[in-house]
Amino acid sequence: SLDEMVYVAKEMKRQDFKLPLLIGGATTSAAHTAIKIAQHYEEPVIHVLDASRVIGVVSQLLSPENKPAYVAETKAKQERQRLEFADRKGARKMLTIADARARRQPTDWATVDIPKPEFLGTRVFSSAGAAEVTSNKDQVTSSPNADNSLELGTCPLDLNEIVDFVDWGPFFSAWELHGRFPEILTDAVVGEEATKLYAEAQAMLATIVGEQRYTAKAVIGFWPANAVGDSVELYDPVGVTDPNALSLSKGRAKVVQTFHFLRQQNEKPAGQFNHCLADYIAPKDSGRLDYFGGFAVTAGHGVEEFAAEFRTKHDDYNAIMAQALGDRLAEALAELMHKKVRDFSGYGKTENLEMKDIIREKYRGIRPAPGYPACPDHTEKPALFALLNAPALTGITLTESNAMFPASSVSGFYLNHPESKYFATGKLCKDQIEDYAARKAIPVTEAERWLAPYLDYET
């Protein structure tokens, strides 16, 4: 979306527009506006921090007396921001991709614990009947039994169980009430409003659960896997039975999907590593067979219909509330599924964590998602959806920009390495982008377009 703003600015210049361009939204910033957008359009390009402040900005731009000084001050500030950014960029030390790989996080693959999941393939969950998940049972690829036959079916989901995993902190942030839950309810400044909001949310949540307004659906899966450089190969689970296989069995040799990851290239102090998600999967030459997981979950079926009922009554507050609760339930479902995955992998059965610790992710393993800092490329999502058969099994589809629909949906990967953690890839050099494009078999220009905010060079 940020790159689309740059494109719009260039188009306004090409078409000789004479209007000011206002930039706003949750992902925008004054720095991005100055560095990436303003230089492509001669007219004023103003970042507006909050919608409530747009009146003041427009008033300045419409005033013959105030506009010249206001525009001059804004452009001078933006020039300072560009110079400061250039200075920081010049001071930033980057590694070649070869040197970055040499500084990967080390693992003793001969001794590291690699848990084998209780099942391989996919397993489907739904708060609806199995018939509502898919009308074609042949599309369901669930756990191979001992004789490698596939057990078809859908596991039940209880909305009440999902509610137990709701993290309420982001809910209050969505309403611009900031503080840790439940302490925010007694906060001296926002406590009264937060308590009122929470009570109204609980009332609507009781209606959603009691009347089954939303349908929750999930598909999770595990596959035998090995890392090959910074990519991960997933193998056909049928025929793979030995978790410590030293040779390529027939099943292991059949690659069903490959995921490609990116590595940090910024130079770090001694003792720190340049991370890549592939480091958390046993390399193919290690003699160990590892397991890679994936998931797609949604609580979004029914959200827009419920919100629309309020909008027809001109009740925007409750319409937004319905959507906000849909988002919270989707994230809660992702957390619940991750708990089940840890249990399926064995180690989760002994973690003995309170719900507050689970919500704060004080457990082994991670679930990074395409588009987020550890794997910022959204184009890995179609491969994940194809592997999971997510559209058929959950009703989640992808837009042309790889956004999920319904919006109250979450997808990503499961990594069980005992030292796995979240990180940000940061800026990426051209040598890695070229290597990445070659691994994905796409043009370099396409890789640059999808990863534009992360490039350490100008295209």
Side-chain angles (χ1 to χ4, degrees), residues 380-416:
E380 289 298 287
K381 217 177 292 177
L384 174 64
F385 270 53
L387 183 71
L388 294 167
N389 197 15
L393 300 180
T394 66
I396 309 172
T397 57
L398 297 174
T399 69
E400 64 181 10
S401 58
N402 290 315
M404 289 176 287
F405 183 84
S408 297
S409 303
V410 185
S411 63
F413 309 114
Y414 293 128
L415 296 166
N416 291 335

Side-chain angles (χ1 to χ4, degrees), residues 84-143:
E84 290 169 0
F85 175 77
D87 289 342
R88 291 196 301 272
K89 182 179 179 181
R92 185 168 60 231
K93 294 183 178 180
M94 304 295 290
L95 301 175
T96 65
I97 186 57
D99 288 341
R101 285 170 177 162
R103 301 187 188 187
R104 70 176 63 236
Q105 179 175 331
T107 294
D108 181 0
W109 290 107
T111 60
V112 71
D113 174 45
I114 299 179
K116 182 179 180 181
E118 292 180 10
F119 71 92
L120 298 176
T122 56
R123 186 165 290 183
V124 184
F125 297 78
S126 178
S127 64
E132 293 184 38
V133 178
T134 175
S135 58
N136 183 0
K137 290 186 69 178
D138 292 335
Q139 293 177 311
V140 181
T141 54
S142 191
S143 164

Side-chain angles (χ1 to χ4, degrees), residues 201-269:
Q202 289 295 316
M204 182 176 287
L205 194 56
T207 298
I208 291 170
V209 174
E211 299 179 4
Q212 296 288 294
R213 286 286 188 147
Y214 300 167
T215 300
K217 297 182 180 181
V219 56
I220 61 174
F222 298 103
W223 289 266
N226 280 125
V228 180
D230 289 349
S231 299
V232 176
E233 288 183 349
L234 277 61
Y235 309 115
D236 187 342
V238 176
V240 176
T241 58
D242 182 3
N244 295 307
L246 296 178
S247 62
L248 287 177
S249 67
K250 180 181 178 182
R252 186 182 178 194
K254 183 179 180 181
V255 177
V256 294
Q257 193 57 267
T258 302
F259 292 102
H260 306 284
F261 298 112
L262 293 156
R263 183 174 297 279
Q264 295 174 325
Q265 282 192 271
N266 57 305
E267 187 173 48
K268 296 185 177 183

Side-chain angles (χ1 to χ4, degrees), residues 243-321:
N244 295 307
L246 296 178
S247 62
L248 287 177
S249 67
K250 180 181 178 182
R252 186 182 178 194
K254 183 179 180 181
V255 177
V256 294
Q257 193 57 267
T258 302
F259 292 102
H260 306 284
F261 298 112
L262 293 156
R263 183 174 297 279
Q264 295 174 325
Q265 282 192 271
N266 57 305
E267 187 173 48
K268 296 185 177 183
Q272 295 186 22
F273 308 113
N274 288 75
H275 297 288
C276 173
L277 289 177
D279 295 343
Y280 300 134
I281 295 294
K284 201 169 187 177
D285 60 7
S286 68
R288 301 287 302 276
L289 189 63
D290 211 331
Y291 299 92
F292 188 92
F295 71 95
V297 307
T298 184
H301 298 298
V303 172
E304 289 305 317
E305 293 82 354
F306 194 35
E309 291 181 17
F310 293 109
R311 291 197 187 94
T312 58
K313 303 172 185 176
H314 306 291
D315 185 352
D316 288 338
Y317 172 75
N318 278 307
I320 294 171
M321 178 75 79

